[in-house]
Amino acid sequence: MALESNERPDKPITKFESMLRTDDVYFFDAEDFEDIVHHYLNNGKISLAKKGIKIGLQQHPGSTELKLLQVEVMVFENNLDYAERLLDELQLLDANNEEIYIQRANIFSKRDNHEAAVAFLHKALDLTSNSFDIYSLLGMEYLFMDDFKLAKESFMRCVEFDNEDYSSLYNVVYCFEFLEDYDGAIVYLNEYLESNPYCQVAWHQLGKQYSEKEMFQEALTAFDFAVISDDSFIGAYFEKGKVLEKLGKYEEAIENYETTITIEDPTSHAFLRIGKCYEKLKNRDMAKYYFYQTVHEDPLLDKGWLAITNFYYNNKNYEKALYYINKALNIDGENPLYWKKCANINYALENFDQADFAYKQVVDLGNYELETWLKWADVAQINGDTISALQILAQGREFYPNNLKIIYKSVGFHLILKDFINARICMLDALKLDKKHKQLHLFNKQFPQYCNSEWINTILANYKKAS
């Protein structure tokens, strides 16, 4: 039995869902079906949206809007060829429908042809005065193309249409930041705030830009205005706390972090920052308490385990430090800084085999700091593998060709191997850089057994005569 829509005074969505539960068939206007489908798409209920499109096209087979919604679902499901064929049919019927070009742009975007997507979106702009959504799509396409200048301009247009479009506002600021144009962001946000003085989002973003430029007092003022605009704005309190930390005002920073905890459920990041503040205040007990609160709140936050590691490392409790750095490595085993900390701890514990393995991971993961090469070479030599130690120093010298610490250490290792020829070559390389022998103590301190040897004295004397 078919019922007219006016026999059912319920809202279209309620009525539609009632129809799905029964054998009744209700008639809806095409516009009602569009609202129903939009509702389900916005809520991620794709299967119900497809049912709405199917029944809608059965009742209104000529509806272009419903067919365009069908195309939208096809694009979402990556059924791009069929979507294109349907668009070809629709374009023959209505060549001036901007939605056709928007969907074509979506198809090309899915195929990573963002230049073509931009061209279709500009065609859509020529056909409509309601261009807000199109500029938003254009902005995203330009982001895909790494054209942050045009992306920024597109998102600015969106903010002009709707000054409460905070998603676009964030994107504008993101583009400024990527372009490292912090001054431009500050000017833009100040102009925006002239007409929207109670926008907590803009004040918050302005504070972050001032902080980036180390204009800390201006940043604090901006965060205060964000809080005045919305006293429950957690982000403003948190960022204000970070600025106060940089200014050394740790007690005030703690107050702001604690405020975030009182507004909403505690977060591991707030606990971590509070712990670091207490650490700076040399309140070890409170620092330790909050570091443990951090990992209790979020056991997968590797930075929390690292904070506990550093706490014990700085207090020379290397056994506990090793236990906790392994916790961090279990979460992020690709982090070279964690492996470096692991290596340094094992070095302190004289676990030289483990230290050697850890330093190798550090280098394999792309950390080429001078200290890494020097300590790794020392570990290899302590393990009795002086040849490997020299190979490590040779690799390090590729990054630091004129570093006297590496060269003088190489001299000593060659002497340990009784390789006097290469030892002499390295020593002469060092003396060319260290003409007045001001850094010779680097060699003498690590290799005191050679510092007054006849071999060294002869080289120094000959070099002095030659120069």
Side-chain angles (χ1 to χ4, degrees):
M1 175 184 177
L3 303 173
E4 294 296 333
S5 61
N6 60 8
E7 294 180 29
R8 301 276 185 170
D10 304 324
K11 293 180 180 178
I13 293 164
T14 304
K15 191 188 309 180
F16 179 75
E17 292 181 355
S18 174
M19 182 181 73
L20 294 179
R21 291 192 297 267
T22 67
D23 291 331
D24 293 335
V25 177
Y26 306 149
F27 287 108
F28 298 84
D29 291 338
E31 291 78 8
D32 285 339
F33 274 115
E34 292 169 33
D35 291 339
I36 290 166
V37 174
H38 278 298
H39 169 79
Y40 289 131
L41 290 177
N42 291 338
N43 287 278
K45 297 179 178 179
I46 305 301
S47 61
L48 286 172
K50 289 167 74 173
K51 286 182 181 178
I53 293 169
K54 181 180 178 180
I55 297 171
L57 287 173
Q58 288 172 351
Q59 295 187 14
H60 305 279
S63 172
T64 300
E65 297 305 319
L66 285 174
K67 290 178 181 178
L68 284 168
L69 287 171
Q70 187 178 23
V71 169
E72 185 175 339
V73 171
M74 289 176 185
V75 174
F76 178 80
E77 294 183 332
N78 285 319
N79 194 350
L80 304 183
D81 292 338
Y82 188 31
E84 241 176 351
R85 288 197 295 273
L86 186 52
L87 285 173
D88 290 340
E89 296 174 9
L90 290 171
Q91 192 164 344
L92 292 173
L93 299 172
D94 187 1
N96 293 320
N97 189 319
E98 75 277 3
E99 187 64 28
I100 292 173
Y101 299 97
I102 292 172
Q103 292 305 327
R104 288 197 186 279
N106 288 336
I107 289 170
F108 278 99
S109 182
K110 282 260 188 175
R111 290 173 172 161
D112 292 327
N113 188 343
H114 302 292
E115 292 84 357
V118 166
F120 279 113
L121 289 171
H122 279 292
K123 177 66 175 176
L125 279 175
D126 294 337
L127 297 172
T128 181
S129 58
N130 184 20
S131 54
F132 168 80
D133 290 335
I134 300 175
Y135 276 111
S136 180
L137 292 171
L138 267 174
M140 294 308 299
E141 292 303 316
Y142 286 129
L143 285 182
F144 286 131
M145 297 163 63
D146 292 332
D147 190 334
F148 294 93
K149 184 176 182 295
L150 289 177
K152 178 186 67 178
E153 293 172 2
S154 298
F155 290 124
M156 282 179 172
R157 295 294 295 270
C158 295
V159 176
E160 289 174 14
F161 283 115
D162 178 6
N163 60 19
E164 292 186 1
D165 178 11
Y166 297 141
S167 176
S168 292
L169 182 61
Y170 278 121
N171 281 327
V172 170
V173 175
Y174 170 77
C175 292
F176 273 118
E177 288 177 340
F178 195 91
L179 295 167
E180 297 184 357
D181 183 9
Y182 304 109
D183 290 326
I186 289 169
V187 170
Y188 176 80
L189 288 166
N190 274 308
E191 290 176 353
Y192 175 89
L193 284 162
E194 285 182 10
S195 55
N196 304 276
Y198 296 104
C199 177
Q200 70 274 20
V201 172
W203 284 116
H204 175 245
Q205 291 298 309
L206 180 60
K208 291 178 71 175
Q209 305 311 306
Y210 281 132
S211 181
E212 192 68 38
K213 288 183 62 65
E214 298 186 355
M215 299 169 67
F216 296 129
Q217 292 304 324
E218 291 85 348
L220 290 176
T221 300
F223 292 133
D224 282 337
F225 276 114
V227 169
I228 291 170
S229 303
D230 179 0
D231 61 6
S232 64
F233 189 9
I234 289 176
Y237 289 109
F238 197 87
E239 292 295 334
K240 184 180 177 183
K242 287 166 65 176
V243 171
L244 290 166
E245 271 193 75
K246 292 175 182 177
L247 292 172
K249 299 180 179 181
Y250 301 114
E251 293 92 344
E252 291 181 53
I254 289 170
E255 290 176 12
N256 279 272
Y257 294 135
E258 287 179 336
T259 300
T260 68
I261 294 172
T262 61
I263 294 173
E264 280 191 5
D265 293 336
T267 67
S268 57
H269 294 285
F271 284 140
L272 181 60
R273 298 292 353 141
I274 293 172
K276 287 184 178 291
C277 286
Y278 277 119
E279 195 171 43
K280 294 287 178 57
L281 292 168
K282 301 189 184 308
N283 188 333
R284 291 172 53 190
D285 290 338
M286 290 300 289
K288 180 179 174 182
Y289 170 79
Y290 277 101
F291 289 150
Y292 275 97
Q293 285 292 101
T294 300
V295 295
H296 175 76
E297 186 67 30
D298 183 3
L300 294 179
L301 183 65
D302 46 319
K303 290 181 180 178
W305 296 113
L306 181 64
I308 298 175
T309 298
N310 287 332
F311 175 83
Y312 285 115
Y313 184 82
N314 293 334
N315 289 290
K316 295 182 167 44
N317 189 337
Y318 300 121
E319 292 286 355
K320 282 197 171 182
L322 181 61
Y323 174 78
Y324 287 109
I325 195 60
N326 283 326
K327 291 271 194 182
L329 284 168
N330 285 336
I331 297 168
D332 184 4
E334 300 295 310
N335 191 318
L337 297 180
Y338 295 173
W339 278 110
K340 186 172 183 180
K341 179 64 69 174
C342 179
N344 290 341
I345 294 168
N346 277 302
Y347 188 97
L349 287 168
E350 299 184 1
N351 298 332
F352 296 117
D353 285 339
Q354 293 92 325
D356 179 75
F357 176 79
Y359 281 126
K360 183 178 186 305
Q361 300 305 307
V362 174
V363 171
D364 287 346
L365 290 167
N367 182 296
Y368 307 128
E369 293 175 0
L370 176 62
E371 181 193 16
T372 301
W373 300 109
L374 295 172
K375 283 196 170 183
W376 188 17
D378 284 339
V379 166
Q381 199 278 323
I382 291 168
N383 283 334
D385 193 352
T386 308
I387 293 175
S388 291
L390 282 166
Q391 290 172 346
I392 291 165
L393 290 175
Q395 291 180 64
R397 198 170 172 184
E398 291 178 12
F399 295 91
Y400 305 95
N402 297 323
N403 186 271
L404 287 167
K405 289 183 178 180
I406 291 179
I407 301 172
Y408 277 131
K409 194 183 288 287
S410 299
V411 174
F413 288 168
H414 279 302
L415 288 173
I416 289 172
L417 291 173
K418 301 188 185 309
D419 182 355
F420 298 110
I421 294 175
N422 281 309
R424 184 175 185 276
I425 292 170
C426 285
M427 179 58 79
L428 291 175
D429 286 345
L431 293 175
K432 287 176 185 176
L433 297 167
D434 189 19
K435 292 183 172 58
K436 296 184 178 180
H437 306 168
K438 289 184 178 180
Q439 300 298 313
L440 188 59
H441 65 88
L442 296 172
F443 174 81
N444 294 336
K445 183 178 180 181
Q446 185 168 3
F447 306 102
Q449 69 271 38
Y450 301 116
C451 65
N452 289 315
S453 68
E454 182 181 349
W455 184 87
I456 287 292
N457 290 332
T458 300
I459 289 180
L460 292 175
N462 290 338
Y463 186 81
K464 187 174 181 181
K465 287 179 184 177
S467 58

